[in-house]
Structures are given as C-alpha cells and as structure tokens.
Amino acid sequence: MDIRRLVPTDALAFQALRLAGLQRHPEAFGSSYEEEKDWPLERVREWLTARPDAGVFGAFENERLVGVLGLGRQTRRNFSHVGFLWGMYVQADAMGRGIGRALVDAALALARSQPGLRHITLQVNAENRAAIALYRSFGFVEIGREPDAMRVGNGFCDDIRMYLPISTH
C-alpha cells in the first residue's frame, strides 16, 4: 500500500472513487452523487491542487486508488487555527487492511507540521461505528451530536462532531 497526497493528474481516479462512494454510501458524505456526477474534470483537478496546509490523501494498492481522505484548513483568519478531515472513503474490497488508519495517520502528520494549527475536527454519521472507533483510536473525542443533520433520500441521519487537539501553541 502506498499513501500519498493526490495531485491534479490523479483527478480521474479520484473522481471515479468519490462518485462510487457517493453512490454506495450517500449517508457518509455531505455532498451527493447528483451534485458531483457532472463536474468537469478541471474542477476536480483544482480541488487536488496541493496547498502546503491542506490536501487530499490517496491510498494505492498496485497503483489502483482504493481510499481517500481530505485535510482542510479554515481560511478565515479567526478560524485558521482549525483543521478538518473530510471525504473519507475506502473501497469495500480494500477494507480491513488498515487503509483508513494509514490515511488518517498521513493527514494528521501534515496537520501537526502546520504552524498555528491547534486542532482537527470532523463530522461522521452517528451510525458509522467503525469510523467512530477509528477516530477514537487516534484520540478524537465527541463534542456534539446533531440530530437529523443530513437528509438522505426520504430519511435523516444524525452526525457526530469530533475534535482532536494537535498543538498547545
């Protein structure tokens, strides 16, 4: 398994994996397949343009992209000390091999290297026990639960918000 930051030339593979995730697990994403299916590849390339303090990490097995996780950072000055994880997805046939753990490890390593970044947040579907357990194993703690946070089809899902301090400076 190879974990690295994605670059614009990975846009086609990233878009295909993300769309598969949006279709298979709509309850796990704030976006939807319908919203992203017609995005031009150029828009996806822009999303993958690396910034020093943010980016999308990919897990590759035999050069095939099988998992992704984004690290973002708030851009407004008063919130620039906050980073966030987003868009975690690992293909079903690649689960159970530590890919999610490796992706979180890589994202947190980048986050910890950033001056002024004090903590990382994330939102996760309250029913996703495996993801919650993974995040807890890194030290994330639950700081809130939003009932009916997201509409999926005709139903609603609760979200749990989690927090991890990474710096005391």
Side-chain angles (χ1 to χ4, degrees), residues 64-142:
R64 180 175 68 109
L65 184 62
V66 296
V68 292
L69 173 64
L71 170 68
R73 185 169 185 174
Q74 298 290 347
T75 55
R76 298 179 78 191
R77 185 173 193 272
N78 289 352
F79 297 99
S80 64
H81 63 286
V82 179
F84 55 93
L85 298 182
W86 61 272
M88 166 75 92
Y89 180 66
V90 176
Q91 275 186 319
D93 67 350
M95 293 178 99
R97 297 201 295 267
I99 292 171
R101 176 167 298 284
L103 287 166
V104 173
D105 242 351
L108 291 180
L110 175 60
R112 287 186 173 108
S113 76
Q114 298 307 305
L117 202 54
R118 295 180 51 90
H119 64 265
I120 302 294
T121 63
L122 61 86
Q123 288 178 219
V124 59
N125 183 302
E127 300 300 315
N128 192 341
R129 297 188 214 299
I132 294 166
L134 173 66
Y135 299 135
R136 283 188 176 142
S137 76
F138 280 93
F140 280 90
V141 295
E142 182 177 333

Side-chain angles (χ1 to χ4, degrees), residues 18-19 29 45 60 65-66 70 89-90 94 130 144 146 157 166:
R18 182 159 171 89
L19 290 174
F29 296 93
R45 282 188 192 101
F60 293 83
L65 184 62
V66 296
Y89 180 66
V90 176
E146 183 178 353
C157 301
I166 61 168

